[in-house]
Amino acid sequence: IVNSDTYQQSSTRRAESDKIDPANQLFHRQNRFRTEGEIIRDLFLSISGLLKHKVGGPSVFPPIPKGVAEQSFAGSFKWSTSKGDDRYRRGMYTFFKRTAPDPNLITFDCPNANVTIAERNNSNTPIMALATLGNEVFHESAQAFAKRILSDKSCNNDHQRIESAFFLCVARKPSLQESGNVIKLLQKSRSYYEKNPEESTKIVGAHSCDMINDNETASWITVTRILLNLDETISRE
């Protein structure tokens, strides 16, 4: 399906096509949708290089905010965060506790598991952007993504790294304006972390790069957080 000409039609409206097919009955364009809640985390993990593709096995417990599990019935449920590869399994393997579901799934319109539905909701709210900017799962992806970009031997300068990062996120090269904006952000971040090295250590965490100081890695994490949080990254164009 995804390789068909129909599916690959742009979501951009074209005046000449609208005149011929105003109701889009000929599918001259496709609608633009945000990807499903279960796939959002998968996208971040895949782009960062953390996603594990193991098939089958028991449910896993990725990180969730503190206090969520305690809201389950009688507060008796304990969420023990998975370790090793299980921490980065695909979203379809995440354990679903109906009385205390993973808040990332709920934020991105995952249906209530207590009832059946005829159609899924598909919303866009500020809470979603706050989740992808601040949640532990997504921040860890930004850390690993920065390390992936800095460790890529085929990229020798900032422009090549930005181009590679853009392609991994949105499957296209950045425009000159986009590239310029990212360069400005990178330079501003370098200046900040050079003056505040203790902050760079915090933001890098366990994702330090060999032969690259934490100030530089932290500056790139600032960039990767923004690129991962682009609307285009989690939307089907």
Side-chain angles (χ1 to χ4, degrees), residues 201-213:
T201 302
K202 290 180 182 178
I203 194 172
V204 171
H207 293 270
S208 294
C209 299
D210 296 335
M211 308 300 290
I212 298 176
N213 64 54

Side-chain angles (χ1 to χ4, degrees), residues 42-163:
D42 289 7
L43 283 173
F44 275 66
L45 293 178
S46 179
I47 293 169
S48 68
L50 290 174
L51 185 66
K52 303 303 178 185
H53 293 277
K54 177 183 175 182
V55 177
S59 298
V60 295
F61 299 81
I64 61 172
K66 293 181 179 179
V68 172
E70 286 74 4
Q71 296 181 35
S72 63
F73 181 73
S76 58
F77 176 68
K78 304 300 180 184
W79 185 281
S80 299
T81 302
S82 298
K83 297 182 170 113
D85 288 355
D86 283 347
R87 183 184 179 96
Y88 308 113
R89 297 286 305 281
R90 292 173 59 194
M92 65 180 294
Y93 294 109
T94 297
F95 184 86
F96 199 104
K97 180 68 173 176
R98 287 183 294 180
T99 56
D102 183 341
N104 286 328
L105 295 177
I106 302 304
T107 298
F108 291 99
D109 301 320
C110 181
N112 186 339
N114 291 306
V115 296
T116 58
I117 61 169
E119 184 178 0
R120 293 177 66 127
N121 292 326
N122 198 342
S123 65
N124 286 289
T125 71
I127 296 176
M128 296 175 183
L130 291 174
T132 52
L133 279 171
N135 189 282
E136 180 181 359
V137 169
F138 301 117
H139 178 63
E140 189 174 7
S141 295
Q143 291 173 316
F145 188 20
K147 185 174 182 178
R148 177 181 182 181
I149 294 299
L150 290 170
S151 302
D152 187 351
K153 303 300 181 184
S154 66
C155 298
N156 300 312
N157 55 55
D158 291 342
H159 287 283
Q160 290 180 351
R161 292 188 179 102
I162 290 170
E163 188 173 287

Side-chain angles (χ1 to χ4, degrees), residues 47-48 145-146 148-150 152 155 158-174 182 220 223-225 227-228 230 233:
I47 293 169
S48 68
F145 188 20
R148 177 181 182 181
I149 294 299
L150 290 170
D152 187 351
C155 298
D158 291 342
H159 287 283
Q160 290 180 351
R161 292 188 179 102
I162 290 170
E163 188 173 287
S164 175
F166 246 89
F167 195 84
L168 287 168
C169 286
V170 298
R172 65 173 177 83
K173 294 182 179 180
V182 175
W220 276 96
V223 170
T224 55
R225 287 183 72 202
L227 295 183
L228 285 170
L230 291 175
T233 300

